[in-house]
Every structure is written in C-alpha cells, then in structure tokens.
Amino acid sequence: MATSFCSSISMQARVSATRTRFCLQKQVLVSNNGKSNNNNLSFSLRRSMPARLAVSCAAKQETVEKVSEIVKKQLSLTDDQKVTAGTKFTELGADSLDTVEIVMGLEEEFGITMAEERAKEIATVQQAAELIEELVQEKTT
Amino acid sequence: MRTSFMSQMQRSFSIELPKLVPLQLPSRMETHLWYVLPDEVKSTSLLKHYSQLLSPSEKDKVLQMRGDELQKNALLARTLVRTTIARYQTNNAVDPRTLMFKKNMYGKPEVDWQNYKNCNDPPLHFNISHTDSLVACGVTVHVPVGIDLEDKERKIKHDVLTLAERFYSTDEVKFLSTIPDPEVQRKEFIKLWTLKEAYVKALGKGFSAAPFNTFTIQSTAGTNGGYNLCKEKTEECNRDWKFGLLELAGSHYAAICTENDQANGGAPMRVIVRKTIPFVEDGLISESIFL
C-alpha cells in the first residue's frame, strides 16, 4: 500500500484586546494503492493555555467542506461553480438575504448561534468556518 | 471547451455607439429609479462596449464572479451606474469611463468628484441593487438614497417566522405572525426585508449601525404607500427617512429609502421609474404602483 504524506503546519495569529487562542494544526493526506482518495485527516493539537492567551488558526478542512455544502445548497449552485475556502459569498451571487439564510443553515448544522454583527462580517467560506470553530470551541470549554 | 464570458467579450468586435443622451436632474422631491433587464441585453458587441467603460478594478471584480450570468449582471450593474451618472452631468458631457468612485468610511460607494472642479451641479447620490434577473440604480440630489430589490417569487428555505424572530423587531414579528396565509406571509417578509435593507443602505454606516432587530418599519394606514420608521425599544418614530415600495417589471419588489429633506416639508416620496438599455433606449414607466 503506497502512502504519501504531505504535512503542513499553518498558523495564523490574530490578537484581540481581550483574548486570543493558540492552536497548532497539521494536515495529513493519505492515499491507498495509488488511487487518488479524498480522505483528509487533520489533527489539531491544542495546548491548554491560560484563558487569556490563544491565537485562532485556519479552520479545519472538514468545517470548510461542510460550510461549502450549505452554501451550495442555499444558492442552488451548478457543478461548475466551484466553492473553495477563499470564495466570497458575493462572488457566488449571494445577497444579504442569502447570507442570513446561510448563517441560519450553519447555526443549525453546528448547533451554535452567531451574533448578527459577526455574522454579517463573514465574507468568505473560510471566515464562516473560522467563526464556527470559535463558537463551537466556546460552547465546549 | 467553455470560454469565459469576459474572454468572449475580448474577442468580439466593438461597434460605434451613439453618445449618451443627457438627462435632467431629479428635483429635490424626486427619486429616479433606473433598471435593466439582463435578459434583454444579448448583443455581445454591446456588452463588449460596456466592458470598456469599466475601470481595471471593476473589470477584475466582474471576472471574480463565479459564472457567466453573474459576470454579465455585475458588468451591467457597473455600466448602469457609470452611464446613468454621466448622463446627469448637464454642464459638460462626461465620458462614463472617466468617472471615479470611492467609498465612505463605512464602505458605501459614492462618486468621487475630485476631477470635476467646475461641476456646478448639486451633489448626486446613488445606490444600486441587483438580483439574478434585474439590475437597478436609484438616484437623488442632496439626500442619501438606499435601494433594495428582491424577486417576488424568491423562495425562503427556512421557516419565515423563525427567520423573523431571529432578525426582525418584536412588532414586525407580531405583524407577520398575524398573517394566516403562508404565501402572503412570505411576501410580507420579503417586502419588509427590502425596506429594512434599503434603510441600512441609505444610512450608509454599515450593518452594525442599524441591526435589523433594532428598528421597525410599518406601513402607515391611509397614506399612499407611506411607512414609518420606529425604534425597537423606545418605540419613537422619526420622520427623518422616507420609504417607498414598488413592484418593478412585474417580478420584483423594490424598496427605496431617502433622507427626509426639510426643504420639501416631508412630502411623500415621488419616484420616476425608467427601464433602460444603456446607449440604446430608455422607457418611461408611467405607472409606479406603490405597495
């Protein structure tokens, strides 16, 4: 079984006045028998840090994919309209009502609530995924 | 192999087009509403001409749209803004390509008049909105304007009352929950959406300046198409802003919000609606049905 590994460590620092979160993320690609395979295993190593200190990082691939699915459904996209982490909702023709429905879809999927001001600041799939992970994390800590 | 919309533009021949027909400015009492139906604009050479009016950054933005239809509508939106504003410049013929735009500190687009030192015309305000099938631009003088469009038949994928409870004010939720027919309820939800959105856009201070659940827009019984804007907590209603809601092209709700100019004594909104194909034709829509 041929396996190839591709690992990358991505870290994004964002410091806010009140608190920041630190997280180290590793992405590992596994392929079987030379067949291309879309399994992405991502490991996130979270160190417990003092509550005040943390740095938020790029969202997990899995979250990005779930967000993309919800966006595609809400906007009734065709197959040739590709959605990636960096895609802006406006580039897909989403108007403000679409964005609100996307936010509701995300809230339902992930069991979270987004404050309206933060929800309206979301412009890309990546930003939505990051906010979701932040809110999910808050729920569980 | 599919070619992109813009590369088709590059390859078609451009035709000689007539000059833009000048327009008379709106009076202080009026809002001018211009719209384009993308389905009526099919000529590739006309679209190529339009693409030549855009600034490099506008062209980039058009290209970033994912899909041919979306690119075409983005192109039409910028073309509508540039040609319409250029036509109102009564003193000197203004080439729509030379217009410059900037954003206010909250991100609302406005015309940058720095190159037109001799411009004696009163300041023009504009705002655009578009859906899959309609592109519109509202124009006023002296007072800020905001417009919003929605397709009347637009499907809401979530429960309307759940959405309202989440985003609208208490009084608006009450109003919507008294409507027994779900289809009528959906339509009223959308009408309210366009009115609220038009207000936020007219205000021009970004979403956080006026979250939807902090204000109520209610129709004023007895007046022809009038609405009141009231604050959620205090229930104070102010007359600083005027609203109009129209049906456009038989298919859309169009909401318009303008600042109430003391000079016109709070008269009801007057809207002149015109359908256009830039450089080709204008049509005056004589019946504006206020809803």
Side-chain angles (χ1 to χ4, degrees):
Chain A
M1 179 167 82
T3 9
S4 66
F5 288 89
C6 160
S7 72
S8 66
I9 296 172
S10 64
M11 229 165 66
Q12 237 176 321
R14 200 165 64 196
V15 179
S16 71
T18 49
R19 59 153 196 227
T20 43
R21 237 183 10 220
F22 175 77
C23 113
L24 189 67
Q25 186 166 304
K26 226 170 122 137
Q27 261 186 334
V28 174
L29 264 171
V30 176
S31 65
N32 294 319
N33 298 328
K35 271 190 296 199
S36 72
N37 176 323
N38 285 329
N39 282 336
N40 281 342
L41 301 177
S42 68
F43 300 90
S44 55
L45 307 171
R46 285 207 177 84
R47 294 187 195 173
S48 52
M49 298 288 257
R52 276 193 317 268
L53 179 68
V55 171
S56 65
C57 58
K60 291 198 280 257
Q61 183 62 23
E62 188 192 324
T63 314
V64 167
E65 275 167 15
K66 274 197 193 161
V67 172
S68 301
E69 274 317 300
I70 287 170
V71 169
K72 281 187 200 161
K73 228 171 65 170
Q74 172 63 34
L75 302 178
S76 307
L77 297 183
T78 56
D79 283 332
D80 61 334
Q81 285 173 288
K82 295 287 171 239
V83 180
T84 62
T87 307
K88 288 195 185 144
F89 295 150
T90 48
E91 288 167 6
L92 298 168
D95 65 11
S96 52
L97 187 45
D98 286 313
T99 308
V100 151
E101 290 223 77
I102 288 169
V103 165
M104 282 211 65
L106 295 174
E107 289 179 338
E108 283 158 11
E109 172 73 21
F110 292 95
I112 49 172
T113 306
M114 296 185 184
E116 192 189 331
E117 309 83 64
R118 295 210 66 186
K120 285 210 156 156
E121 277 166 20
I122 297 174
T124 66
V125 169
Q126 176 76 16
Q127 286 168 2
E130 282 172 6
L131 180 55
I132 287 163
E133 287 190 355
E134 195 185 305
L135 293 171
V136 165
Q137 165 114 64
E138 274 170 29
K139 237 181 59 164
T140 57
T141 51
Chain B
M1 181 179 95
R2 276 168 53 81
T3 45
S4 78
F5 171 75
M6 282 308 261
S7 69
Q8 280 180 332
M9 291 300 97
Q10 251 93 64
R11 288 188 285 118
S12 62
F13 297 104
S14 76
I15 57 178
E16 268 309 303
L17 284 170
K19 292 244 175 301
L20 286 172
V21 176
L23 294 169
Q24 203 166 26
L25 286 165
S27 74
R28 291 181 90 114
M29 323 277 275
E30 289 170 352
T31 302
H32 287 182
L33 186 64
W34 293 87
Y35 71 92
V36 178
L37 292 172
D39 283 348
E40 290 183 355
V41 186
K42 295 196 226 283
S43 154
T44 347
S45 47
L46 184 59
L47 289 166
K48 176 179 165 102
H49 189 88
Y50 292 166
S51 68
Q52 287 166 347
L53 302 175
L54 269 49
S55 69
S57 69
E58 284 170 341
K59 278 193 207 140
D60 282 344
K61 289 218 179 85
V62 168
L63 285 170
Q64 280 163 19
M65 300 299 289
R66 314 261 177 144
D68 288 355
E69 282 294 307
L70 290 174
Q71 287 192 359
K72 180 179 168 186
N73 290 357
L75 171 60
L76 290 174
R78 293 316 302 166
T79 302
L80 182 60
V81 173
R82 282 183 173 270
T83 54
T84 307
I85 291 173
R87 294 172 69 180
Y88 284 113
Q89 304 321 307
T90 48
N91 292 332
N92 304 296
V94 162
D95 184 335
R97 276 173 294 203
T98 63
L99 285 171
M100 288 175 49
F101 295 89
K102 59 182 180 180
K103 292 194 170 158
N104 76 5
M105 65 175 170
Y106 304 98
K108 182 177 182 182
E110 29 184 67
V111 184
D112 186 349
W113 295 109
Q114 60 173 289
N115 290 336
Y116 300 95
K117 298 283 188 269
N118 294 326
C119 179
N120 291 320
D121 288 327
L124 266 187
H125 295 255
F126 74 92
N127 194 237
I128 54 172
S129 180
H130 59 104
T131 65
D132 292 345
S133 53
L134 201 136
V135 175
C137 180
V139 180
T140 49
V141 294
H142 290 291
V143 291
V145 60
I147 72 167
D148 191 52
L149 303 175
E150 283 298 344
D151 187 324
K152 283 181 355 184
E153 297 312 312
R154 189 217 174 98
K155 294 287 159 257
I156 309 280
K157 295 183 161 87
H158 289 87
D159 173 61
V160 164
L161 277 182
T162 310
L163 266 178
E165 274 157 18
R166 183 82 176 70
F167 292 101
Y168 284 8
S169 72
T170 328
D171 284 340
E172 286 167 344
V173 175
K174 260 192 231 156
F175 163 68
L176 288 170
S177 56
T178 62
I179 301 171
D181 185 308
E183 180 50 18
V184 176
Q185 198 186 60
R186 183 192 63 85
K187 287 200 151 97
E188 292 301 319
F189 176 90
I190 293 177
K191 286 182 191 172
L192 259 179
W193 184 275
T194 58
L195 284 162
K196 292 167 84 73
E197 191 68 7
Y199 168 59
V200 172
K201 291 175 80 182
L203 205 49
K205 292 191 178 145
F207 299 114
S208 40
F212 272 19
N213 58 9
T214 62
F215 64 93
T216 296
I217 297 182
Q218 54 195 202
S219 83
T220 50
T223 62
N224 182 21
Y227 292 88
N228 271 338
L229 171 70
C230 309
K231 291 232 180 310
E232 162 82 336
K233 296 236 161 68
T234 62
E235 298 205 350
E236 312 165 0
C237 297
N238 72 50
R239 324 274 343 275
D240 294 342
W241 299 89
K242 281 207 282 232
F243 293 90
L245 184 66
L246 311 164
E247 196 180 279
L248 217 56
S251 56
H252 283 71
Y253 294 127
I256 304 163
C257 176
T258 59
E259 198 168 22
N260 208 357
D261 187 346
Q262 299 312 315
N264 67 41
M269 184 181 282
R270 199 175 158 234
V271 186
I272 314 277
V273 182
R274 290 191 195 94
K275 186 166 80 135
T276 183
I277 300 178
F279 293 102
V280 178
E281 64 186 24
D282 294 338
L284 178 64
I285 310 301
S286 53
E287 281 181 49
S288 259
I289 311 157
F290 274 114
L291 301 171

